Amino acid sequence: MLLFSKCMCCLVNQQERVIEDFEDEGKKAAFMQEIMGLIGERGSECNAPWMCALMTEIREKYYGKDDKISDMKREFNQFLLQMEEELSQRIDEAKEPLRESLRFARIGNYIDFSAVENVTKEEFMELFYNEKDEIEESEYRRLLEELEQASKLVYIMDNCGEIVLDKIVIRQLKRRYPDLHITAMVRGKDALNDATMEDARMVGITEEVPVITNNSSIQGVVLQELTEETRETLDSADLILSKGQGNFESLHGCGKNIYYLFLCKCDLFVKRFGVERFQGMFVNEKRVKI
């Protein structure tokens, strides 16, 4: 997906919210002019996650890194780690544990400091225990059919905290398909609250499967930005399980066999999919229509 007009407005507004409490109006104006100039210069070639990464580079040039993000990432990782045993038990007791683990992992996609203006544990728990949407039946059955034949799967992760739930999905996959080779992918550099190799180590993903990165701070996967080795890992996968809205925005249209799992968190996605905010989606690259 390339950059929609609504995405352009949203990205600019996000940057303005970050600096709104600063007092130097001259500096703020210069920053915002550079941000809008970037959209004019690169808007036709970049998707929203890629553009966000470029904007973050500009903001850090003016204002430096936001150290509070690292603290919040650790907080949500620990929060979900404390819930891991209880959640794993609930999933194991479900009629279809793999399907239930995917549903739980999708709920975890709420933890997104970019798309959700005020991420709170309270709202997350409300979504978690009140979630009624099931994983779409026909698409899930297609996934199972493909998993029976697959030898390689790449699991593209998204945010901190929710990667604990991704780890549970991976364990379910390993249990059900012991011969399936699974590789996880995280971000190569800090990207708001997206999971990096540091987060993967913290929550134990690296103890479960090999972990690679997207080689950048982009909140998605831009194929031309990947290393040759990582690109080959994706190209050789029989199927890809992709978590998060940003991964959908950056990968949709690539033609690979990708199953996307995410919550609709912005007005554009709500409108294009015809659903309510925080509705869960489970769609395949080859069959999804927006």
Side-chain angles (χ1 to χ4, degrees), residues 16 24 68 75 82 85-86 92 95 110 131 140 142 150 165 196 198 226 231 247 251 257 260 271 285:
E16 196 281 328
D24 189 335
K68 293 183 294 184
E75 180 182 347
Q82 291 167 7
E85 184 175 351
E86 174 194 347
D92 286 339
K95 182 178 179 180
Y110 162 80
E131 169 75 31
Y140 178 66
R142 286 175 182 263
L165 301 168
T196 62
E198 179 183 357
L226 300 179
R231 179 67 181 265
N247 286 325
L251 283 169
N257 187 21
Y260 297 103
K271 182 178 180 179
E285 167 74 14

Side-chain angles (χ1 to χ4, degrees), residues 192-208:
L192 285 180
N193 71 306
D194 282 24
T196 62
M197 191 66 76
E198 179 183 357
D199 298 294
R201 294 192 185 100
M202 180 180 179
V203 306
I205 300 290
T206 52
E207 298 173 17
E208 298 288 339

Side-chain angles (χ1 to χ4, degrees), residues 93-108:
E93 292 172 352
K95 182 178 179 180
E96 183 77 16
L98 176 57
R99 183 173 180 171
E100 189 72 350
S101 70
L102 289 169
R103 188 174 74 86
F104 278 27
R106 186 173 66 185
I107 297 167

Side-chain angles (χ1 to χ4, degrees), residues 229-245:
E229 181 180 2
T230 299
R231 179 67 181 265
E232 171 58 29
T233 300
L234 281 180
D235 289 344
S236 64
D238 297 298
L239 57 95
I240 298 168
L241 187 57
S242 173
K243 280 291 301 298
Q245 189 174 293

Side-chain angles (χ1 to χ4, degrees), residues 8-123:
M8 296 179 188
C9 295
C10 183
L11 287 166
V12 170
N13 289 336
Q14 284 177 2
Q15 297 301 321
E16 196 281 328
R17 283 198 301 270
V18 173
I19 67 167
E20 64 182 348
D21 292 333
F22 298 149
E23 295 183 358
D24 189 335
E25 282 297 329
K27 184 177 180 179
K28 288 164 66 174
F31 166 68
M32 292 305 298
Q33 286 169 359
E34 194 164 343
I35 289 294
M36 289 184 282
L38 176 67
I39 290 180
E41 178 185 352
R42 302 286 300 273
S44 62
E45 64 183 85
C46 292
N47 52 58
W50 194 358
M51 184 63 72
C52 185
L54 296 174
M55 288 182 172
T56 298
E57 290 179 8
I58 295 174
R59 190 178 70 246
E60 290 178 352
K61 180 179 70 175
Y62 279 82
Y63 297 101
K65 288 184 176 291
D66 186 353
D67 295 332
K68 293 183 294 184
I69 295 293
S70 295
D71 294 337
M72 294 176 72
K73 287 177 68 177
R74 284 190 290 270
E75 180 182 347
F76 272 94
N77 282 336
Q78 289 294 345
F79 179 53
L80 268 296
L81 283 170
Q82 291 167 7
M83 298 173 64
E84 181 180 354
E85 184 175 351
E86 174 194 347
L87 298 177
S88 294
Q89 183 176 346
R90 286 179 59 187
I91 287 168
D92 286 339
E93 292 172 352
K95 182 178 179 180
E96 183 77 16
L98 176 57
R99 183 173 180 171
E100 189 72 350
S101 70
L102 289 169
R103 188 174 74 86
F104 278 27
R106 186 173 66 185
I107 297 167
N109 191 231
Y110 162 80
I111 306 171
D112 186 340
F113 299 171
S114 176
V116 182
E117 188 169 346
N118 294 299
V119 174
T120 68
K121 294 177 182 178
E122 292 74 20
E123 187 170 28

